[in-house]
Amino acid sequence: MANRLLILRRSLHVLSAAKSRQILLSRRQVPFGPLQIIPPNRSFITVAGLIRSVLKIRYIVLGSAISGGIHLNNKYKEWKDGLPDMEWIKDFIPDPEKQKLITDNLNIAAKKLFAENGLFDSITKNANKTLEQFQEMLKERQKRSEGDVNSNANTESAIWPLSIIQDIKGSESSTDANSKREADYERIRKLQEDLIEIQHKYQKEIERLEKENKELRKSLMLKSDKAVSERLKKVNKTLIDLYSDVLDELNDFDSNYNTQDHLPRVIVVGDQSAGKTSVLEMIAQARLFPRGAGEMMTRSPVKVTLKEGPYHVARFKDTNREFDLSKESELADLRRDIEIRMKSKVKGNRSVSKDVIALTVEGPGIPRMVLVDLPGVISTVTTEMAAGTRDAIEEISKAYMNNPNAIILCVQDGSVDAERSIVTDLVSQVDPNGKRTIFVMTKMDLAEANMANPNRLKKILEGQLFPMKALGYFAVVTGRGSKDDNIQTIRNYEEDFFKNSRLCRQGILNTSQCTTQSLSLAVSDCFWQMVKSSVEQQADLYKARKFNLETEWKNTFSKYRELDRDELFEIGKNQILDQIIKLSHLTSDHWEKLLFKKLNENFTEYIFDNIYTPAAEKAGNDNFNIQVDIRLKNWIDNVLPSSTVEVGLQVLSEQFRNILDKQDENTNFKNCPENDHVLFQNLKNAVSEDVIRQHKWDPKAYDVLRLIQMNASEDRTISERERWKESVRYLQDIIKDRLHQTQKNLHEMVGPDWIEQWSSWKYRSRQQYINSNIKSELDRIAAQNNLKPNLDSEDILLVKKNLRIKKIEVAEEDVNAMWNQVYKNHFLKNLLSKAQSCEKLFAHHLYKLDSDISCDDVVFFYRIHHILQASSKALRQQITNIEAQRLNREVKDMLDDFNQDSEKKSQLLKGKRVNLAEELKRVRQIQDKLEEFIAALNKEK
């Protein structure tokens, strides 16, 4: 069956070539067009030219049939000798009776085709007469060259065979000369129609045989014998699968397609809305891609791997789902998925992306090759696009086309003016000699309807109009304008169009250049020729590159294993998870001390300045306890719980970071080089920052904390002397810290004293000199037991008056600022003296004895100390029981997210060693894929 299919296909090309040459010669000899009638006033020379053109058709048909038959026989023998041993397939061939039935049907079909219209009988009948006419013509030309013939009649006989001249003279003498000329032109028109009809029948027969072949191959691939099925699958599918794997590896390794990536692929380029996506769909035999009315739909390159299979299905590289292309609902899902993927590739303010979407399509009879659909080239950037969209599209297109082994499928819209084409200029720049370009003109139905000059289309399809050159020129129709038409409907429409097209009937189009099926076969042949001629060279280049990388590794990192980025990430991930476990090993005392210290640091200033000091200043009114109770309750109700949680998060974060930063001496990484430490430190910092930023304290803890703190604040009884002393020391420590800070502020305001001036050679500034005199005056006021938070106006005037005597002018603001620090200094000293006295008055508190000194201050700070201790304990329980475990889970989730983000890993794991190991691994993978593909390619040969 395959042999007959090949014979019929070759015969089709022979007839197409014959028809093209016949029409070309006919148009050269008949200036008014092949179907127009010559006016009756023309001379017999014009009639003779017409008859000669008619006769030449027989010469061409005869010569084409003879040479085509010889060439076909030779090609058949070469193809037969190159066939692999297929003895194993005999188990699946139908029985002899069915074979005989198929053979008889094919013979009958062939005889009917060859006997149609008596074409070959006519060739045989007129062969001898044609040869005699050629001999006469040669004899007459020889006589003319010798100068023996000078008359007009002799000149005519030198050009025309004698029998033709006689026929011409006879026809002129006849009264019905005009009717004969009309009959001649009618014969030419009829012959053109017969040739087109014969070719159409040939095409129908080929399609029928191909359909039978598809069904047979499908049945073979679905046989239950697993071993044979796998073997057949390997013959028909593995080669393109392997090649697609190589391209996937190269795309991941080098998405910019630099000079090292020179493996062939078919690049589909064209102006926006030129129909390039529709061409790809016709080759894939399915409506794969989403559509928009004049809107840019292809926003990133789509790599489509076409291969043969029993079912017409599609799948993405990164998923296992198969889309059944025979079901419209599945096709709709596929188009929607492609649209979602394209939008996800376009990040930020970009309109197009160079990230590739990999898609595999398989089915019976689909040609094996790899195509890449690129965004359409545009001339104008609309307001909905990013500013650099046009340049970005051209950059992507040139990056793919600059591959010297890429087959450029240049798609041009035939329904628009050729001068509007942008892509042809880009293609001519990249491939000026057209050694790897195939030109495709789409929308030929619209072109025919709108054409004013048919010869313009002819020039385009003969490569005479555009500056670009190409290996071949094809004309196709890829739709009727409806997005709901399926592929079979479009193919039928395309077939009917070219069958009835006046472009074909007038010789504008060569039928061998028409239909997407002819285009698909030509592209597939060109693709595999390019693959076979370039793949071994690329394998050698990658082998040399691998050798250079291995040499560099041995010279630089010979003591270390070749760990790529993924392997290093796993090491860093395990190290982080191992270290986080140490959070649960910290003791309760450790947590509570850290928490109490941090709570004390954060709250002491507020407690002392906003709760204790205002109440202590009014102690003379005997309402100290009432004042502190009001302020303390308000603080607990509104501020303290949330502030306590913030402190807990802060302590947890600090301990988490400390654990990650600490190097464990027992780990296997203590001998790692310094760059490894830096590498993992970047990963640890990123994890700690992201986790701490996202970690939220359990909201249920707020109410529990508020209740615990409120209960602790109600405890006013100190039943043990040690607790009393502890509270006194706590009060003294707070007062001393505040006193130290106040004295430091005073020192900065008044400058160095005379001892520092002499010992350290320091001097006061003018403002410090003024502040020093203000302080002296204020100290006298404070020494008179006139200590109050704010100075009276009389006191301020007195200070200014005394300083004016010293010729020092001061402002009221300076006096108040200095009094604020002087007052705090004397007030804190008095409190410290009072606290020291209260240390011995525990019995007065326990038995409520009267005393000249009130120790309510100690009780208040005992309550504060108790609140902070209770808060520390509650935070510790929350951390060890809940928050640490939640943090551990969040770290694992964060690391898993990082592991899925290759760009994030590249940012976190950097260094020469990592980059070299990563490159070496990828080059080895590519080399292995190339060698596997070459082995399969040689086996198929």
Side-chain angles (χ1 to χ4, degrees):
M1 184 180 297
N3 295 347
R4 295 184 180 275
L5 182 61
L6 180 61
I7 293 172
L8 290 175
R9 194 183 300 280
R10 293 294 184 182
S11 301
L12 175 61
H13 288 298
V14 169
L15 288 176
S16 299
K19 180 233 176 205
S20 301
R21 289 193 292 271
Q22 173 264 317
I23 293 174
L24 181 61
L25 291 174
S26 175
R27 295 181 70 237
R28 289 179 179 174
Q29 297 300 328
V30 186
F32 292 97
L35 298 182
Q36 296 178 359
I37 304 301
I38 299 178
N41 59 351
R42 293 292 182 181
S43 65
F44 74 95
I45 298 293
T46 306
V47 178
L50 173 62
I51 297 175
R52 186 182 66 175
S53 300
V54 175
L55 292 176
K56 278 191 175 183
I57 296 174
R58 295 184 294 175
Y59 309 153
I60 293 169
V61 172
L62 177 62
S64 300
I66 296 171
S67 61
I70 296 172
H71 180 71
L72 181 61
N73 184 53
N74 293 337
K75 286 293 183 180
Y76 171 70
K77 289 181 179 180
E78 292 178 4
W79 175 78
K80 184 177 179 182
D81 294 339
L83 285 176
D85 185 11
M86 302 292 286
E87 291 295 330
W88 53 270
I89 206 172
K90 290 182 179 180
D91 296 336
F92 303 97
I93 296 178
D95 55 65
E97 293 182 0
K98 291 185 179 180
Q99 292 185 41
K100 186 176 182 303
L101 180 59
I102 294 173
T103 304
D104 293 341
N105 291 334
L106 291 176
N107 290 334
I108 293 171
K111 289 178 181 179
K112 287 182 179 180
L113 289 173
F114 292 144
E116 189 69 30
N117 294 324
L119 178 62
F120 287 89
D121 292 341
S122 176
I123 293 173
T124 305
K125 183 177 180 180
N126 296 323
N128 294 331
K129 184 177 179 180
T130 303
L131 291 175
E132 292 175 0
Q133 290 173 351
F134 269 112
Q135 291 175 359
E136 290 182 21
M137 183 179 66
L138 292 174
K139 290 178 181 180
E140 294 297 335
R141 286 183 180 275
Q142 185 176 3
K143 290 179 181 180
R144 182 187 177 190
S145 62
E146 293 174 357
D148 295 338
V149 181
N150 297 320
S151 64
N152 185 51
N154 290 339
T155 302
E156 292 173 358
S157 65
I159 299 174
W160 303 98
L162 183 59
S163 59
I164 298 178
I165 295 175
Q166 292 174 354
D167 291 340
I168 293 173
K169 292 181 178 180
S171 63
E172 285 189 341
S173 62
S174 176
T175 57
D176 56 347
N178 291 335
S179 63
K180 284 185 176 292
R181 282 194 294 270
E182 292 178 0
D184 291 336
Y185 278 104
E186 182 64 25
R187 287 170 57 194
I188 293 174
R189 186 186 63 78
K190 186 67 169 65
L191 183 58
Q192 290 176 342
E193 293 180 354
D194 290 344
L195 288 175
I196 294 174
E197 186 67 25
I198 290 172
Q199 184 177 10
H200 175 66
K201 291 183 178 181
Y202 266 94
Q203 188 67 34
K204 282 291 187 181
E205 185 65 17
I206 289 173
E207 290 178 0
R208 185 183 67 81
L209 295 175
E210 285 182 342
K211 184 176 181 181
E212 293 180 0
N213 192 25
K214 290 178 183 178
E215 293 298 327
L216 177 60
R217 296 171 72 87
K218 179 178 178 179
S219 63
L220 289 175
M221 283 186 280
L222 294 176
K223 286 292 183 180
S224 58
D225 190 341
K226 183 176 180 181
V228 178
S229 179
E230 289 297 324
R231 185 175 178 184
L232 185 62
K233 180 180 178 181
K234 185 175 181 180
V235 171
N236 291 317
K237 297 172 64 177
T238 303
L239 195 60
I240 191 63
D241 287 340
L242 292 176
Y243 187 74
S244 180
D245 290 343
V246 171
L247 293 184
D248 289 340
E249 290 288 343
L250 287 173
N251 179 63
D252 294 339
F253 177 66
D254 182 14
S255 59
N256 293 323
Y257 293 102
N258 291 331
T259 54
Q260 66 267 21
D261 181 13
H262 288 166
L263 287 178
R265 70 207 73 191
V266 181
I267 310 302
V268 186
V269 296
D271 300 327
Q272 185 178 349
S273 301
K276 56 184 182 55
T277 301
S278 298
V279 170
L280 192 152
E281 288 180 332
M282 291 291 287
I283 296 175
Q285 301 178 17
R287 304 296 294 270
L288 304 173
F289 299 100
R291 274 161 173 72
E295 179 185 359
M296 177 188 292
M297 297 304 296
T298 305
R299 297 182 177 271
S300 64
V302 182
K303 183 177 75 70
V304 182
T305 302
L306 302 179
K307 57 182 180 178
E308 194 173 28
Y311 300 108
H312 200 189
V313 296
R315 71 179 66 86
F316 291 100
K317 175 190 172 184
D318 55 352
T319 62
N320 295 324
R321 179 185 176 183
E322 284 191 349
F323 297 88
D324 187 351
L325 302 183
S326 62
K327 298 179 180 178
E328 184 57 38
S329 60
E330 298 268 329
L331 275 171
D333 291 344
L334 176 61
R335 289 192 288 266
R336 183 165 52 252
D337 202 346
I338 291 176
E339 185 175 3
I340 293 173
R341 288 170 180 264
M342 282 187 179
K343 290 181 179 179
S344 66
K345 298 289 184 183
V346 182
K347 300 177 181 178
N349 296 324
R350 296 181 300 170
S351 296
V352 293
S353 171
K354 65 182 180 181
D355 297 335
V356 180
I357 298 174
L359 182 68
T360 300
V361 177
E362 64 177 78
I366 291 181
R368 299 179 299 168
M369 55 181 159
V370 176
L371 301 97
V372 181
D373 186 24
L374 299 179
V377 181
I378 61 175
S379 58
T380 303
V381 178
T382 63
T383 56
E384 296 178 351
M385 299 180 183
T389 301
R390 179 174 58 187
D391 296 335
I393 293 175
E394 292 186 4
E395 181 182 351
I396 294 173
S397 300
K398 289 182 178 180
Y400 278 86
M401 291 190 296
N402 282 331
N403 176 359
N405 291 318
I407 301 168
I408 303 172
L409 205 61
C410 180
V411 180
Q412 166 68 23
D413 187 348
S415 64
V416 299
D417 296 335
E419 290 77 9
R420 293 171 58 184
S421 176
I422 306 173
V423 70
T424 51
D425 292 335
L426 293 177
V427 174
S428 61
Q429 294 173 11
V430 176
D431 185 26
N433 297 322
K435 294 182 178 180
R436 51 190 180 88
T437 300
I438 296 177
F439 181 84
V440 183
M441 179 171 283
T442 60
K443 306 179 183 179
M444 290 303 299
D445 52 342
L446 300 179
E448 182 183 69
N450 300 331
M451 71 176 180
N453 184 6
N455 289 327
R456 189 173 178 84
L457 293 177
K458 182 177 178 63
K459 288 182 179 180
I460 293 176
L461 294 174
E462 290 179 352
Q464 299 176 3
L465 187 62
F466 288 122
M468 60 165 286
K469 299 179 181 179
L471 290 172
Y473 297 82
F474 290 87
V476 299
V477 176
T478 57
R480 302 186 303 175
S482 174
K483 64 180 181 179
D484 298 326
D485 290 341
N486 57 37
I487 293 297
Q488 189 57 45
T489 302
I490 297 174
R491 291 185 66 175
N492 294 337
Y493 173 73
E494 181 186 46
E495 181 183 321
D496 293 339
F497 167 77
F498 285 115
K499 177 183 176 182
N500 302 312
S501 172
R502 66 178 186 272
L503 295 174
C504 294
R505 295 180 181 278
Q506 295 177 3
I508 303 298
L509 296 180
N510 185 346
T511 52
S512 63
Q513 295 176 292
C514 299
T515 73
T516 51
Q517 185 177 17
S518 300
L519 170 65
S520 176
L521 294 173
V523 173
S524 180
D525 291 342
C526 185
F527 170 77
W528 283 107
Q529 290 176 6
M530 193 78 76
V531 168
K532 294 172 184 177
S533 63
S534 62
V535 67
E536 292 187 358
Q537 179 183 1
Q538 296 304 312
D540 293 338
L541 291 175
Y542 275 94
K543 187 181 294 183
R545 184 171 183 176
K546 182 182 72 172
F547 176 79
N548 294 335
L549 292 174
E550 289 175 343
T551 303
E552 183 179 359
W553 182 272
K554 290 179 182 179
N555 295 335
T556 311
F557 304 106
S558 58
K559 296 181 179 179
Y560 304 103
R561 291 189 300 125
E562 300 168 7
L563 300 176
D564 61 16
R565 187 170 281 109
D566 292 335
E567 293 170 327
L568 285 171
F569 182 84
E570 288 298 322
I571 292 176
K573 174 183 176 181
N574 293 331
Q575 184 177 357
I576 291 173
L577 294 177
D578 290 341
Q579 289 177 320
I580 290 178
I581 297 177
K582 297 177 183 178
L583 275 176
S584 60
H585 296 166
L586 297 177
T587 63
S588 300
D589 290 341
H590 176 80
W591 281 114
E592 290 183 14
K593 287 180 180 179
L594 290 175
L595 291 167
F596 181 84
K597 180 179 179 182
K598 184 64 67 173
L599 289 171
N600 191 53
E601 291 175 355
N602 286 16
F603 299 155
T604 298
E605 182 176 357
Y606 180 86
I607 293 170
F608 197 88
D609 295 340
N610 296 82
I611 299 178
Y612 173 70
T613 301
E617 290 172 349
K618 300 177 181 180
N621 298 330
D622 199 22
N623 60 354
F624 174 79
N625 291 327
I626 297 175
Q627 292 289 332
V628 295
D629 285 345
I630 294 173
R631 287 181 170 83
L632 189 59
K633 186 178 185 304
N634 182 60
W635 183 50
I636 293 173
D637 287 339
N638 300 317
V639 179
L640 184 57
S642 59
S643 300
T644 303
V645 168
E646 291 177 3
V647 172
L649 273 173
Q650 186 178 359
V651 172
L652 179 61
S653 302
E654 290 175 355
Q655 292 302 300
F656 178 61
R657 292 191 181 96
N658 291 338
I659 286 176
L660 290 184
D661 291 338
K662 185 178 180 180
Q663 294 295 312
D664 191 348
E665 297 180 355
N666 296 324
T667 137
N668 295 327
F669 309 107
K670 60 182 180 180
N671 295 324
C672 285
E674 293 181 0
N675 59 354
D676 276 2
H677 172 68
V678 174
L679 173 69
F680 291 127
Q681 193 60 45
N682 292 337
L683 178 61
K684 293 174 182 177
N685 292 340
V687 170
S688 62
E689 291 175 3
D690 290 352
V691 169
I692 294 302
R693 183 176 62 253
Q694 298 178 13
H695 183 77
K696 303 297 180 183
W697 202 272
D698 188 358
K700 298 178 182 179
Y702 291 92
D703 295 334
V704 176
L705 272 173
R706 183 179 292 105
L707 181 60
I708 292 174
Q709 291 165 348
M710 187 61 71
N711 292 335
S713 67
E714 298 295 332
D715 186 5
R716 291 180 171 84
T717 303
I718 306 175
S719 58
E720 299 177 0
R721 184 177 295 274
E722 292 299 325
R723 290 285 184 88
W724 179 267
K725 291 182 178 180
E726 183 180 2
S727 300
V728 171
R729 285 194 297 270
Y730 179 62
L731 173 60
Q732 291 176 344
D733 290 340
I734 291 176
I735 294 173
K736 288 178 181 178
D737 289 340
R738 303 297 296 168
L739 181 60
H740 176 73
Q741 183 63 39
T742 302
Q743 291 176 348
K744 182 179 179 181
N745 294 337
L746 280 171
H747 184 269
E748 291 176 356
M749 294 178 70
V750 300
D753 56 14
W754 66 272
I755 298 177
E756 288 183 281
Q757 293 178 17
W758 278 97
S759 61
S760 302
W761 296 87
K762 294 180 180 180
Y763 301 95
R764 289 173 175 170
S765 64
R766 176 62 181 171
Q767 185 62 43
Q768 288 176 337
Y769 173 76
I770 294 174
N771 290 338
S772 176
N773 286 274
I774 295 174
K775 179 178 181 296
S776 299
E777 294 294 329
L778 294 176
D779 284 338
R780 282 195 289 268
I781 294 176
Q784 297 173 1
N785 293 324
N786 193 15
L787 200 62
K788 48 191 174 183
N790 299 309
L791 287 174
D792 296 334
S793 58
E794 294 83 359
D795 295 331
I796 296 175
L797 290 174
L798 178 62
V799 171
K800 294 176 68 175
K801 179 181 178 180
N802 294 337
L803 292 177
R804 193 175 293 115
I805 295 173
K806 298 180 181 180
K807 297 181 179 182
I808 299 175
E809 292 291 338
V810 296
E812 183 177 346
E813 293 80 6
D814 295 335
V815 177
N816 287 328
M818 181 58 67
W819 173 251
N820 184 36
Q821 298 299 321
V822 170
Y823 168 76
K824 284 184 179 180
N825 185 44
H826 287 82
F827 180 73
L828 292 172
K829 287 181 178 179
N830 293 337
L831 289 178
L832 182 60
S833 175
K834 182 180 178 182
Q836 292 172 349
S837 300
C838 287
E839 186 175 2
K840 302 176 182 179
L841 299 177
F842 171 69
H844 291 73
H845 164 73
L846 182 62
Y847 300 111
K848 298 181 180 181
L849 301 176
D850 294 334
S851 174
D852 295 335
I853 300 175
S854 175
C855 293
D856 292 337
D857 313 63
V858 178
V859 176
F860 170 73
F861 279 97
Y862 165 77
R863 296 167 65 190
I864 295 297
H865 189 269
H866 192 34
I867 291 172
L868 297 182
Q869 280 186 329
S871 300
S872 301
K873 186 175 181 180
L875 290 175
R876 187 266 304 168
Q877 291 176 343
Q878 183 75 13
I879 289 174
T880 55
N881 295 336
I882 298 176
E883 301 302 330
Q885 297 178 6
R886 291 180 58 227
L887 190 68
N888 193 8
R889 290 194 299 270
E890 290 170 358
V891 169
K892 290 181 180 179
D893 294 339
M894 184 68 64
L895 289 171
D896 290 338
D897 292 340
F898 286 174
N899 195 23
Q900 299 298 323
D901 190 346
S902 58
E903 184 176 352
K904 187 73 173 181
K905 287 193 292 186
S906 300
Q907 295 174 357
L908 297 177
L909 304 179
K910 297 183 291 187
K912 181 179 179 181
R913 178 183 168 190
V914 181
N915 295 335
L916 184 59
E918 185 77 11
E919 185 177 4
L920 184 55
K921 176 188 176 183
R922 302 312 300 273
V923 169
R924 282 174 175 166
Q925 290 176 347
I926 295 172
Q927 177 64 23
D928 292 341
K929 294 288 185 182
L930 282 169
E931 291 179 353
E932 185 179 5
F933 172 72
I934 292 172
L937 184 64
N938 293 332
K939 187 173 182 180
E940 185 173 271
K941 290 181 182 179

